[in-house]
Each structure stands twice: as C-alpha cells, then as structure tokens.
C-alpha cells in the first residue's frame, strides 16, 4: 500500500496529535456557521494560525450534512512544481498526525482514463494547499475518502469539466483551496480583495493569479457554478493582518459555499 506522508505538519499546523485536535476543535467551536447544503466550498490554505478561522466557517457549513457525504474531492494550486493540466496522486492512503485517510484511487483512475488528469506524485509531494484541509475533515469525519487534485495552467472549461465529472459521483463534496491577494499593505489588500469577492459572488471567471493563488481551480468552479446556476455565498473574509501577521504585507483569506 502506497502511503503519502504529511509534508507540512509542524509548519502549517501542529505535528502533535493532541495539540492539533485541540486547535482544530477550537477553531470549529469559535466559527459557527449554518445554512443549506453546499455542492462545494472554497477555503483558504495558509497556516492554521492565519486562516484557520475562515476555513472553519466553511467546514462548519458542511457539518450537518456529513451523513450524505462520503467523498471529498480537493482542488488547489501547485505552488512548488510547474504544472500544466491537472494531477492526481498515486498513493492510496494519506497519513497525518491525526491518522490515515483513504485516497479514492478508483475515482482518480477514472479521471486519468477520461483524459481529465494525470498522475504526478512529484507535484503533490511537498504541496500544502490540500494537506492543510485534512485535519478539519478528520475531526469532522475520519471515514471520509479524499481525492487530491492539483490544478496547474488549465483553462476554466477544462476544470469545470473535471468538476462536473466528479460531482456526478454520489455523496461527493468539492473543496476549492485558494488564498486571495498576497503581500500588499493592509488597506490596499482589503481593496483588492473586495473587488475579487465581488467577482466570485457574481461567478466571474476572469480572476487572475494576483487576486487569488488558486485562480485556475476557482475560475473552473465559477464556470461550473454559472452553468448550473448555483449561488456563491460568502461565509467569511479576513487577512493575515487580522490574525497572526503584521499589517505591512498581508495575505487575504475567504470562504464560500456554493449551492
């Protein structure tokens, strides 16, 4: 059995299981959220001390519907390895400090067979944007299967086609991982991010890398949402200057529910 070990435990989140469980439980307790069942959520992917509260709002949104979710497909950007197209992983299990998660290799193989993705373990090896989501999913329901998909330089219609394919599978939730603007002064970042949030809320598919590092996955989700006439509901927004960083160079964070 091929196991993917955690790459950013001890950096983006605690590597001590008890400390991690306590931290994630507290983030969920401090950020209540309720509403109708989402087809997909968008979450940030910085260290938990920076963006964990905003992410927790989206994970609390799915909490009442866990009985009808058995699979989570995670889409996010490849930060460390140049990538064209989309990539799944060859491992069967993902190990974190909270234990193992089953990777849905069967669905991953279907995406490869359909020409929608390739297997690229190198792109996944040190990537944090999907791994940082796992402690939330494990605290909510450790029996969930996950399928990580990294999205490189990919047209939004191709991403939308993959999203359409995976959401045809029953009991599937889609998670889009993206931060917003990077390394602007606090007030300037707020102005940039407000414009981006307007675009997301209106399902515009022309978000740039300067606005959101996960723009390729996000634009694909927005294209799918427009096709399906979904609503995009903003659940929370802040930046690192509001949480654990200084205000001279901040990163923006949002979470959305699509339904």
């Amino acid at each position: 059995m091929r196991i993917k070990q955690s790459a950013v435990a001890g950096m983006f989140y605690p590597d001590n299981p008890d400390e991690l469980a306590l931290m994630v439980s507290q983030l969920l307790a401090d950020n209540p959220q309720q509403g109708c069942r989402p087809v997909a959520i968008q979450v940030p992917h910085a260290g938990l001390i920076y963006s964990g509260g905003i992410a927790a709002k989206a994970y609390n949104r799915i909490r009442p519907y866990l009985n009808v979710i058995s699979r989570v497909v995670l889409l996010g950007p490849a930060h460390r390895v140049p990538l064209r197209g989309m990539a799944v992983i060859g491992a069967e299990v993902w190990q974190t400090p909270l234990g193992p998660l089953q990777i849905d290799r069967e669905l991953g193989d279907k995406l490869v067979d359909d020409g929608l993705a390739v297997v690229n373990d190198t792109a996944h090896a040190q990537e944090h944007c999907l791994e940082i989501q796992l402690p939330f999913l494990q605290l909510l329901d450790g029996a969930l299967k996950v399928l990580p998909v990294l999205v490189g330089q990919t047209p939004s219609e191709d991403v939308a086609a993959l999203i359409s394919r995976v959401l045809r599978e029953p009991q599937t939730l889609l998670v889009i991982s993206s931060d917003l603007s990077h390394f602007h002064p606090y007030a300037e970042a707020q102005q940039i991010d407000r414009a981006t949030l307007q675009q997301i809320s209106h399902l515009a598919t022309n978000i740039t890398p300067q606005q959101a590092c996960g723009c390729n996955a996000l634009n694909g989700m927005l294209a799918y949402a427009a096709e399906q006439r979904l609503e995009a509901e903003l659940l929370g927004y802040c930046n690192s200057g509001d949480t654990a960083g200084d205000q001279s160079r901040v990163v923006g964070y949002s979470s959305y529910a699509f339904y």
Side-chain angles (χ1 to χ4, degrees):
M1 180 177 293
R2 298 179 62 185
I3 299 173
K4 184 189 184 316
Q5 300 292 340
S6 58
V8 295
M11 293 182 285
F12 280 71
Y13 60 87
D15 55 6
N16 178 280
D18 294 334
E19 184 182 347
L20 177 57
L22 179 62
M23 184 180 191
V24 175
S25 296
Q26 193 62 56
L27 287 168
L28 290 167
D30 291 345
N31 293 278
Q33 182 65 222
Q34 58 184 3
C36 61
R37 177 188 172 190
V39 170
I41 56 175
Q42 178 268 316
V43 289
H45 56 235
L48 292 184
I49 63 170
Y50 295 102
S51 65
I54 293 297
K57 292 179 182 294
Y59 288 110
N60 273 326
R61 179 62 169 264
I62 69 170
R63 189 194 286 263
Y65 309 106
L66 291 170
N67 63 321
V68 290
I69 299 170
S70 61
R71 175 193 300 103
V72 178
V73 178
L74 302 140
L75 270 63
H79 286 87
R80 296 176 180 270
V81 175
L83 181 65
R84 288 192 176 277
M86 293 173 280
V88 296
I89 194 169
E92 298 157 303
V93 172
W94 204 335
Q95 184 74 34
T96 83
L98 297 180
L101 286 96
Q102 193 75 26
I103 294 174
D104 192 342
R105 281 295 309 281
E106 182 179 355
L107 180 54
D109 289 344
K110 289 178 183 177
L111 298 182
V112 173
D113 291 344
D114 291 346
L116 294 169
V118 299
V119 177
N120 188 329
D121 291 342
T122 302
H124 283 274
Q126 299 299 318
E127 181 56 54
H128 68 275
C129 74
L130 306 183
E131 183 180 320
I132 195 68
Q133 314 306 330
L134 303 184
F136 288 105
L137 297 173
Q138 288 178 290
L139 258 288
L140 291 174
D141 184 352
L144 289 168
K145 285 185 177 183
V146 297
L147 178 62
V149 182
L150 291 178
V151 181
Q153 295 300 315
T154 314
S156 58
E157 58 266 27
D158 291 354
V159 181
L162 182 142
I163 290 171
S164 177
R165 173 64 187 85
V166 300
L167 288 179
R168 292 206 303 268
E169 298 289 328
Q171 298 191 321
T172 297
L173 172 76
L174 189 74
V175 174
I176 304 294
S177 175
S178 181
D179 292 338
L180 298 178
S181 66
H182 282 59
F183 309 137
H184 299 281
Y186 185 91
E188 182 182 342
Q190 284 193 315
Q191 183 177 7
I192 294 168
D193 292 341
R194 276 196 294 269
T196 304
L197 297 177
Q198 283 286 326
Q199 287 176 267
I200 296 172
S201 295
H202 289 93
L203 308 182
T205 61
N206 58 345
I207 294 170
T208 68
Q210 291 71 39
Q211 293 175 277
C213 59
C215 64
N216 292 317
L218 182 56
N219 283 331
M221 179 66 226
L222 295 169
Y224 175 83
E227 291 170 5
Q228 300 297 318
R229 299 186 179 181
L230 301 180
E231 296 287 336
E233 178 186 347
L234 178 64
L235 305 180
Y237 166 77
C238 76
N239 65 48
S240 56
D242 298 310
T243 52
D246 67 65
Q247 296 193 349
S248 61
R249 296 175 78 245
V250 306
V251 178
Y253 314 120
S254 66
S255 61
Y256 272 84
F258 294 89
Y259 57 88

